[in-house]
Amino acid sequence: MLEIERKFLVKNNSYKTEAVSKKRIVQGFLNTHPERTVRVRIKGEQAFLTVKGKSNAAGTIRLEWESEITVQDAEALLALCEDGQIDKVRYEIPVKDHIFEVDEFFGNNKGLTLAEVELKEENEPFEKPDWLGDEVTGEVQYYNSQLTKKPFTLWK
Amino acid sequence: MLEIERKFLVKNNSYKTEAVSKKRIVQGFLNTHPERTVRVRIKGEQAFLTVKGKSNAAGTIRLEWESEITVQDAEALLALCEDGQIDKVRYEIPVKDHIFEVDEFFGNNKGLTLAEVELKEENEPFEKPDWLGDEVTGEVQYYNSQLTKKPFTLWK
């Protein structure tokens, strides 16, 4: 139940040519508190309910619990969520031994693209592709839960 | 996914002699907002994650989604919950065609006992046993989610 991951900005679109999958994600939050976010996600033809706890100081490790639910249930639960749905397309890009998940955001977060890589250990080394930008691991404003309340197009 | 129920105070302990089951319930909330409560419950040897939406004006009907989870997962999720766990014993009491659930609270809510009856329709008639007290359906302070924040022993 521990999720270890690092998050980065993305410099350009070249990741798209290397993607092995592409799925639309629509998600909302039943709670956006960083210590107990509760997310309802529809990803392609699947849906999930996910609870995440507070991260460690570095922002790399977070308790995560996830359960698959029906798309029908997810739609009913999305209607209960706080305002500010996230709409994004997720690309999966294999880079050596790891899979990067790159999220291109739409709607109120258009212009933002974020890459995440999941690790088995906090200090596990991984290859950084050319399109990978600055690291933003642990920066709360980049949490999807916070992007619902303060979307990227309203930054600055 | 619609839950129709009515809630009452309980006048005395005589319901206990008619109970057909008795189980301890420990529960916490990942969100206590009445429009989207998220509850983690351990009930006897089972555990559940439950989302409830806003009720109708009368307080009788509320959207409810529930999924059974493992007790181990529930324990991990309880650790993420807001302060103020609910600790109670639930008795099930058959009264004619209905089952009343009577919750005797402990901890910060000691002294409070509530009875609920689930109905198939909002105006469905049901037999009221002698021990049933005043109706408190829709009174938000009696929601378990609110009892975590403002427990019964601190009322008045």
Side-chain angles (χ1 to χ4, degrees), chain A residues 1 29-31 35-36 38 49 51-54 63 65 67 69 72-73 76-77 80-83, chain B residues 1 29-32 35-36 38 49 51-54 63 65 67 69 72-73 76-77 80-83:
Chain A
M1 273 176 68
F29 289 86
L30 289 164
N31 195 353
E35 293 187 18
R36 57 187 75 87
V38 182
L49 186 69
V51 179
K52 295 191 189 194
K54 192 180 172 179
L63 190 140
W65 176 88
S67 175
I69 63 176
Q72 195 183 5
D73 283 357
L77 292 175
L80 300 182
C81 283
E82 297 181 13
D83 286 342
Chain B
M1 272 178 69
F29 289 87
L30 289 162
N31 195 353
T32 52
E35 293 187 19
R36 55 186 78 85
V38 182
L49 186 70
V51 180
K52 294 191 187 193
K54 192 178 171 179
L63 191 139
W65 176 89
S67 176
I69 63 176
Q72 194 184 7
D73 283 358
L77 292 174
L80 299 183
C81 283
E82 297 180 13
D83 287 341

Side-chain angles (χ1 to χ4, degrees), chain B residues 9 13 39 54-55 61 63 80 84 87 112 124 154:
Chain B
L9 298 177
N13 280 338
R39 186 183 71 200
K54 192 178 171 179
S55 71
I61 307 180
L63 191 139
L80 299 183
D87 191 347
L112 179 64
E124 185 181 342
L154 300 182

Side-chain angles (χ1 to χ4, degrees), chain A residues 88-102:
Chain A
K88 61 188 183 182
V89 171
R90 169 162 296 178
Y91 297 84
E92 290 189 333
I93 298 114
V95 178
K96 285 241 172 124
D97 300 335
H98 294 89
I99 304 272
F100 280 78
E101 294 177 333
V102 177

